[in-house]
Amino acid sequence: MSQHENGRGEDLPARRQAREDRDRIKAAFGARLRVLLDLTGLSSREFAARFPAYKDSTVRKYTLGTNLPPWDFLNDLLTEVARRTDDPAAPQRRTELFTAYRSVLIDTGATTRGSDQNSLLLRLLDGEEDLHRLAAELAEVRGRENQLRLDLEEETGQAQSPGTGTGTGGRERRRRIEEEVRALAQRRGELVRQRGVLVTELDDSRRRLAVMEAAGSPGDLVPAGTGTGAGTHQTPPPPLPPAPPTSFTEPSSPAGRRRRPLVLIAAAAAVVCLAGGGVAVGIWAAGNGDTGNRATPPVSATPRTTPTPSPPTPSAPATSAAPAPAPERSSWSLIEDLVPMDVYPEGTKRSFTAGALTVNNRDYPATLYAFEAERTWQLGREYKTFTATAGVSDATPSGDVITFTVQLDDGVAKEFTMAPGDTVKKVSLNISGVFRIKLTVQESFSTHEGYGAWIDPTITK
């Protein structure tokens, strides 16, 4: 029986034509990206050096149309074009490019329910739009809450003023304000919950995309095992040892927001090798066996040396002095000492960068900064106080506002907004009995150029 007789051969030309159409559409969009890259004056390698979230080979795949890029790449590319050229029609071109990008994704078969590479890109694009909508509504709710608090303080002050009666009208106004404040608090909690769910979904899509790109799969194919984020042909990398970052780096470009705290594994291993030999390295790399995800300070192993024996002398009897006990530690840095529960992978957003930052004309060497990020540590109810300083980087555009939040277990313990040039704000909270602590920053206008910084976040017993 021939292929045409069994009904399957007739589909081959149609499938071949559909594949050629998809390749043509992607190649045309890649040509648009090549033009934009030329406008920056950068090669693909130079662009990748400026934006470390992308590799040189990945950028070339985007500009050749082999793969379609994530929306983050389009945003970074357009930002770089705007920085290097004076184009009054830049906002319009940005809208046109993203409209064309969505059309290309749909024309190549992407759907919001699919699990192939292009479908994940479409879900990222639509998800980011939803995220911006949630952020805008959340900002409105917070603004209204702040105004109502001021109104309530004014009503309370008038009621407590000498010679001023409370009156039925005043009590009714306070009651209405309090009811609206409660309703807004519930709405804010629901928006925060929705944003958290959406952020988790988007970061999961980014992780799966990273696996697909590392495997070199084309955008219209579904690699094996994409439902779990890794194909069956891939061996997952070994887990990193629970060591804190040991150095900080000041970003020299907007790509700094994607850099993560670097755990210098090789350097640390070399130091341990020199001090205590290969056995100590094996113990350090294997971790301490703590699978309970408890945020306890890492224990450092002290290498043991064997002294060379010397013959006893009659003039001085051998004596052994007991080593002085190490002073008991009472404070730990959330940057250097404790391992967070949620470290997002390289190339994703919403992850703090540990490094030096200039805030209000002063350089702070130990900060956690981002334009939009969150990080959670498990405290295990073992600590008493949390202290930190908050500030906005001097590179943040004028008019931008950063919202800082400290969440203890399931409740918001501290929330405030700051603008560039504001005096740094000291935060001190009682965390006795607290199981988890979460720090967040949120840029109000999503320019991706403003950084909120938690400076020297510390917990004490």
Side-chain angles (χ1 to χ4, degrees):
M1 183 182 292
S2 65
Q3 285 184 332
H4 289 281
E5 289 175 338
N6 65 19
R8 290 183 296 177
E10 297 177 355
D11 293 335
L12 291 177
R15 288 202 298 268
R16 185 181 302 112
Q17 183 62 43
R19 184 171 60 252
E20 291 175 354
D21 289 343
R22 288 196 298 268
D23 291 343
R24 176 180 50 80
I25 291 171
K26 293 194 295 184
F29 191 76
R32 285 185 78 164
L33 299 182
R34 248 189 339 268
V35 171
L36 291 173
L37 186 62
D38 290 341
L39 289 176
T40 67
L42 301 174
S43 66
S44 59
R45 178 174 298 180
E46 291 168 337
F47 186 88
R50 183 166 178 80
F51 293 88
Y54 316 108
K55 298 179 180 178
D56 176 25
S57 59
T58 304
V59 176
R60 281 188 275 111
K61 285 181 181 179
Y62 295 158
T63 56
L64 291 174
T66 307
N67 282 355
L68 292 172
W71 81 272
D72 309 68
F73 177 81
L74 300 183
N75 184 70
D76 291 335
L77 182 59
L78 289 170
T79 300
E80 190 66 14
V81 170
R83 194 177 74 85
R84 293 174 177 265
T85 61
D86 185 14
D87 184 6
Q92 179 182 352
R93 297 186 192 281
R94 177 181 289 266
T95 301
E96 291 175 353
L97 181 66
F98 275 93
T99 301
Y101 173 61
R102 196 175 197 281
S103 298
V104 168
L105 289 173
I106 294 175
D107 291 342
T108 53
T111 66
T112 55
R113 295 185 178 182
S115 59
D116 60 285
Q117 191 165 336
N118 291 347
S119 293
L120 290 174
L121 293 174
L122 181 62
R123 286 161 61 183
L124 276 178
L125 179 64
D126 291 349
E128 288 294 337
E129 293 179 357
D130 292 340
L131 197 61
H132 290 162
R133 176 184 56 80
L134 287 173
E137 186 175 354
L138 193 57
E140 292 179 1
V141 169
R142 285 168 172 161
R144 179 59 179 165
E145 281 184 308
N146 291 335
Q147 182 59 51
L148 288 174
R149 290 191 184 100
L150 294 176
D151 293 345
L152 188 59
E153 290 176 1
E154 183 178 352
E155 287 289 338
T156 303
Q158 290 179 357
Q160 294 176 351
S161 298
T164 304
T166 55
T168 305
R171 287 194 297 270
E172 181 63 21
R173 283 193 299 271
R174 286 198 299 275
R175 186 187 63 80
R176 287 199 303 268
I177 292 175
E178 290 170 352
E179 288 180 353
E180 187 175 355
V181 167
R182 285 193 291 269
L184 287 172
Q186 293 179 354
R187 180 57 182 163
R188 172 167 51 83
E190 176 61 21
L191 290 173
V192 170
R193 186 195 66 79
Q194 292 178 13
R195 187 179 66 179
V197 171
L198 185 55
V199 165
T200 300
E201 292 175 354
L202 294 179
D203 284 325
D204 177 67
S205 296
R206 286 188 173 88
R207 281 191 289 269
R208 296 166 67 182
L209 280 171
V211 171
M212 292 180 182
E213 286 195 341
S217 64
D220 52 355
L221 296 180
V222 184
T226 52
T228 59
T232 57
H233 59 284
Q234 289 188 326
T235 302
L240 294 177
T246 57
S247 63
F248 304 99
T249 304
E250 173 70 19
S252 58
S253 69
R257 69 173 185 267
R258 285 192 172 87
R259 285 202 292 270
R260 305 293 180 267
L262 299 179
V263 182
L264 304 181
I265 304 175
V271 171
V272 179
C273 277
L274 292 175
V279 176
V281 175
I283 296 173
W284 178 84
N288 56 12
D290 181 10
T291 58
N293 221 1
R294 292 171 63 88
T296 55
V299 179
S300 59
T302 303
R304 185 172 58 188
T305 59
T306 303
T308 302
S310 58
T313 58
S315 57
T319 58
S320 60
E328 186 177 354
R329 194 171 183 183
S330 61
S331 64
W332 288 265
S333 168
L334 293 185
I335 300 176
E336 297 182 349
D337 297 325
L338 269 70
V339 179
M341 297 177 60
D342 46 3
V343 178
Y344 295 105
E346 188 72 23
T348 64
K349 301 193 312 173
R350 284 168 286 280
S351 181
F352 281 105
T353 296
L357 203 66
T358 302
V359 177
N360 231 359
N361 294 324
R362 178 178 172 183
D363 294 332
Y364 292 92
T367 73
L368 291 175
Y369 66 88
F371 65 92
E372 176 183 354
E374 63 180 37
R375 183 164 292 179
T376 303
W377 292 265
Q378 192 145 298
L379 305 181
R381 304 185 181 91
E382 298 177 1
Y383 303 90
K384 293 183 179 179
T385 60
F386 164 78
T387 57
T389 306
V392 178
S393 72
D394 290 353
T396 301
S398 298
D400 209 344
V401 177
I402 306 292
T403 300
F404 295 82
T405 306
V406 183
Q407 183 172 327
L408 303 180
D409 291 335
D410 295 330
V412 175
K414 194 77 172 179
E415 187 173 75
F416 53 92
T417 58
M418 297 184 69
D422 286 353
T423 304
V424 294
K425 183 181 183 67
K426 293 184 178 181
V427 177
S428 180
L429 295 173
N430 181 1
I431 56 174
S432 299
V434 172
F435 190 64
R436 288 175 181 167
I437 184 171
K438 178 190 287 187
L439 302 182
T440 66
V441 298
Q442 173 71 45
E443 185 186 22
S444 296
F445 300 109
S446 299
T447 65
H448 297 182
E449 298 176 0
Y451 293 125
W454 287 104
I455 304 167
D456 293 325
T458 304
I459 53 175
T460 60
K461 287 189 176 181

PDB file of all heavy atoms in Angstrom, residues 39 52 70 77 100 121 147 243 257 259 293 298 323 360 371 442:
ATOM      1  N   LEU A  39      20.915  49.546  14.768  1.00  0.00           N
ATOM      2  CA  LEU A  39      20.734  50.911  15.273  1.00  0.00           C
ATOM      3  C   LEU A  39      21.457  51.129  16.604  1.00  0.00           C
ATOM      4  O   LEU A  39      21.846  52.247  16.927  1.00  0.00           O
ATOM      5  CB  LEU A  39      19.242  51.211  15.451  1.00  0.00           C
ATOM      6  CG  LEU A  39      18.427  51.384  14.163  1.00  0.00           C
ATOM      7  CD1 LEU A  39      16.953  51.584  14.485  1.00  0.00           C
ATOM      8  CD2 LEU A  39      18.941  52.573  13.352  1.00  0.00           C
ATOM      9  N   PRO A  52      23.891  40.416  30.173  1.00  0.00           N
ATOM     10  CA  PRO A  52      24.358  39.035  30.417  1.00  0.00           C
ATOM     11  C   PRO A  52      23.257  37.991  30.469  1.00  0.00           C
ATOM     12  O   PRO A  52      23.562  36.803  30.507  1.00  0.00           O
ATOM     13  CB  PRO A  52      25.067  39.155  31.776  1.00  0.00           C
ATOM     14  CG  PRO A  52      25.399  40.599  31.925  1.00  0.00           C
ATOM     15  CD  PRO A  52      24.303  41.334  31.245  1.00  0.00           C
ATOM     16  N   PRO A  70      11.978  36.158  23.846  1.00  0.00           N
ATOM     17  CA  PRO A  70      11.000  36.563  24.859  1.00  0.00           C
ATOM     18  C   PRO A  70      10.806  38.074  24.813  1.00  0.00           C
ATOM     19  O   PRO A  70      11.628  38.811  24.259  1.00  0.00           O
ATOM     20  CB  PRO A  70      11.659  36.122  26.174  1.00  0.00           C
ATOM     21  CG  PRO A  70      13.120  36.137  25.881  1.00  0.00           C
ATOM     22  CD  PRO A  70      13.267  35.761  24.436  1.00  0.00           C
ATOM     23  N   LEU A  77      16.200  45.481  23.909  1.00  0.00           N
ATOM     24  CA  LEU A  77      16.700  45.960  22.618  1.00  0.00           C
ATOM     25  C   LEU A  77      16.167  47.362  22.316  1.00  0.00           C
ATOM     26  O   LEU A  77      16.915  48.258  21.905  1.00  0.00           O
ATOM     27  CB  LEU A  77      16.294  44.975  21.526  1.00  0.00           C
ATOM     28  CG  LEU A  77      16.766  45.293  20.100  1.00  0.00           C
ATOM     29  CD1 LEU A  77      18.281  45.372  20.032  1.00  0.00           C
ATOM     30  CD2 LEU A  77      16.241  44.237  19.120  1.00  0.00           C
ATOM     31  N   ALA A 100       3.277  43.443  16.306  1.00  0.00           N
ATOM     32  CA  ALA A 100       3.767  42.507  15.297  1.00  0.00           C
ATOM     33  C   ALA A 100       4.285  41.225  15.953  1.00  0.00           C
ATOM     34  O   ALA A 100       4.092  40.126  15.425  1.00  0.00           O
ATOM     35  CB  ALA A 100       4.873  43.161  14.469  1.00  0.00           C
ATOM     36  N   LEU A 121       6.129  31.762  25.074  1.00  0.00           N
ATOM     37  CA  LEU A 121       6.428  33.176  24.824  1.00  0.00           C
ATOM     38  C   LEU A 121       5.150  34.006  24.810  1.00  0.00           C
ATOM     39  O   LEU A 121       5.120  35.131  25.335  1.00  0.00           O
ATOM     40  CB  LEU A 121       7.163  33.322  23.486  1.00  0.00           C
ATOM     41  CG  LEU A 121       8.570  32.739  23.421  1.00  0.00           C
ATOM     42  CD1 LEU A 121       9.116  32.824  21.992  1.00  0.00           C
ATOM     43  CD2 LEU A 121       9.513  33.471  24.373  1.00  0.00           C
ATOM     44  N   GLN A 147      -4.938  57.909  51.530  1.00  0.00           N
ATOM     45  CA  GLN A 147      -5.799  59.084  51.661  1.00  0.00           C
ATOM     46  C   GLN A 147      -6.847  58.873  52.750  1.00  0.00           C
ATOM     47  O   GLN A 147      -7.132  59.778  53.555  1.00  0.00           O
ATOM     48  CB  GLN A 147      -6.483  59.374  50.324  1.00  0.00           C
ATOM     49  CG  GLN A 147      -7.375  60.610  50.337  1.00  0.00           C
ATOM     50  CD  GLN A 147      -6.606  61.868  50.698  1.00  0.00           C
ATOM     51  OE1 GLN A 147      -5.564  62.145  50.113  1.00  0.00           O
ATOM     52  NE2 GLN A 147      -7.113  62.639  51.661  1.00  0.00           N
ATOM     53  N   ALA A 243      25.990  27.907  50.167  1.00  0.00           N
ATOM     54  CA  ALA A 243      26.963  28.901  50.600  1.00  0.00           C
ATOM     55  C   ALA A 243      26.460  30.282  50.251  1.00  0.00           C
ATOM     56  O   ALA A 243      25.849  30.481  49.215  1.00  0.00           O
ATOM     57  CB  ALA A 243      28.307  28.663  49.913  1.00  0.00           C
ATOM     58  N   ARG A 257      20.291  44.467  36.571  1.00  0.00           N
ATOM     59  CA  ARG A 257      19.127  43.988  37.307  1.00  0.00           C
ATOM     60  C   ARG A 257      18.935  42.500  37.156  1.00  0.00           C
ATOM     61  O   ARG A 257      18.212  41.900  37.911  1.00  0.00           O
ATOM     62  CB  ARG A 257      17.864  44.701  36.810  1.00  0.00           C
ATOM     63  CG  ARG A 257      17.460  44.308  35.387  1.00  0.00           C
ATOM     64  CD  ARG A 257      16.111  44.924  35.047  1.00  0.00           C
ATOM     65  NE  ARG A 257      15.647  44.474  33.764  1.00  0.00           N
ATOM     66  CZ  ARG A 257      15.848  45.097  32.641  1.00  0.00           C
ATOM     67  NH1 ARG A 257      16.548  46.210  32.622  1.00  0.00           N
ATOM     68  NH2 ARG A 257      15.377  44.629  31.495  1.00  0.00           N
ATOM     69  N   ARG A 259      21.566  40.340  37.071  1.00  0.00           N
ATOM     70  CA  ARG A 259      22.641  39.593  37.691  1.00  0.00           C
ATOM     71  C   ARG A 259      22.221  39.136  39.060  1.00  0.00           C
ATOM     72  O   ARG A 259      21.523  39.812  39.785  1.00  0.00           O
ATOM     73  CB  ARG A 259      23.900  40.454  37.774  1.00  0.00           C
ATOM     74  CG  ARG A 259      24.578  40.609  36.424  1.00  0.00           C
ATOM     75  CD  ARG A 259      26.022  40.967  36.656  1.00  0.00           C
ATOM     76  NE  ARG A 259      26.152  42.295  37.226  1.00  0.00           N
ATOM     77  CZ  ARG A 259      26.276  43.383  36.499  1.00  0.00           C
ATOM     78  NH1 ARG A 259      26.260  43.311  35.198  1.00  0.00           N
ATOM     79  NH2 ARG A 259      26.415  44.562  37.068  1.00  0.00           N
ATOM     80  N   ASN A 293      14.725  22.917  54.711  1.00  0.00           N
ATOM     81  CA  ASN A 293      14.654  24.271  54.178  1.00  0.00           C
ATOM     82  C   ASN A 293      14.660  25.313  55.274  1.00  0.00           C
ATOM     83  O   ASN A 293      14.042  26.362  55.157  1.00  0.00           O
ATOM     84  CB  ASN A 293      13.393  24.430  53.328  1.00  0.00           C
ATOM     85  CG  ASN A 293      13.690  25.217  52.081  1.00  0.00           C
ATOM     86  OD1 ASN A 293      14.828  25.613  51.864  1.00  0.00           O
ATOM     87  ND2 ASN A 293      12.679  25.433  51.258  1.00  0.00           N
ATOM     88  N   PRO A 298      25.110  28.979  57.679  1.00  0.00           N
ATOM     89  CA  PRO A 298      25.953  27.866  57.286  1.00  0.00           C
ATOM     90  C   PRO A 298      27.085  27.653  58.278  1.00  0.00           C
ATOM     91  O   PRO A 298      27.659  28.599  58.811  1.00  0.00           O
ATOM     92  CB  PRO A 298      26.502  28.300  55.909  1.00  0.00           C
ATOM     93  CG  PRO A 298      26.363  29.772  55.915  1.00  0.00           C
ATOM     94  CD  PRO A 298      25.162  30.086  56.757  1.00  0.00           C
ATOM     95  N   PRO A 323      42.023  25.780  73.778  1.00  0.00           N
ATOM     96  CA  PRO A 323      41.726  26.934  72.927  1.00  0.00           C
ATOM     97  C   PRO A 323      40.615  27.782  73.522  1.00  0.00           C
ATOM     98  O   PRO A 323      39.691  27.276  74.154  1.00  0.00           O
ATOM     99  CB  PRO A 323      41.278  26.288  71.604  1.00  0.00           C
ATOM    100  CG  PRO A 323      40.800  24.921  71.990  1.00  0.00           C
ATOM    101  CD  PRO A 323      41.663  24.509  73.143  1.00  0.00           C
ATOM    102  N   ASN A 360      21.403  58.295  47.661  1.00  0.00           N
ATOM    103  CA  ASN A 360      21.517  59.618  48.264  1.00  0.00           C
ATOM    104  C   ASN A 360      22.977  60.041  48.411  1.00  0.00           C
ATOM    105  O   ASN A 360      23.416  60.500  49.471  1.00  0.00           O
ATOM    106  CB  ASN A 360      20.818  59.637  49.630  1.00  0.00           C
ATOM    107  CG  ASN A 360      19.847  60.793  49.748  1.00  0.00           C
ATOM    108  OD1 ASN A 360      19.696  61.590  48.821  1.00  0.00           O
ATOM    109  ND2 ASN A 360      19.204  60.900  50.879  1.00  0.00           N
ATOM    110  N   PHE A 371      14.374  46.407  40.590  1.00  0.00           N
ATOM    111  CA  PHE A 371      13.235  47.275  40.255  1.00  0.00           C
ATOM    112  C   PHE A 371      11.926  46.570  40.618  1.00  0.00           C
ATOM    113  O   PHE A 371      10.913  47.207  40.839  1.00  0.00           O
ATOM    114  CB  PHE A 371      13.247  47.653  38.766  1.00  0.00           C
ATOM    115  CG  PHE A 371      13.037  46.507  37.827  1.00  0.00           C
ATOM    116  CD1 PHE A 371      11.770  46.185  37.387  1.00  0.00           C
ATOM    117  CD2 PHE A 371      14.102  45.761  37.368  1.00  0.00           C
ATOM    118  CE1 PHE A 371      11.576  45.133  36.517  1.00  0.00           C
ATOM    119  CE2 PHE A 371      13.915  44.722  36.493  1.00  0.00           C
ATOM    120  CZ  PHE A 371      12.650  44.396  36.063  1.00  0.00           C
ATOM    121  N   GLN A 442       8.869  47.125  44.679  1.00  0.00           N
ATOM    122  CA  GLN A 442       8.007  47.202  43.505  1.00  0.00           C
ATOM    123  C   GLN A 442       8.096  48.604  42.922  1.00  0.00           C
ATOM    124  O   GLN A 442       7.758  49.593  43.586  1.00  0.00           O
ATOM    125  CB  GLN A 442       6.552  46.885  43.865  1.00  0.00           C
ATOM    126  CG  GLN A 442       5.557  47.103  42.745  1.00  0.00           C
ATOM    127  CD  GLN A 442       5.687  46.075  41.649  1.00  0.00           C
ATOM    128  OE1 GLN A 442       5.800  44.890  41.923  1.00  0.00           O
ATOM    129  NE2 GLN A 442       5.680  46.515  40.412  1.00  0.00           N
TER     130      GLN A 442
END
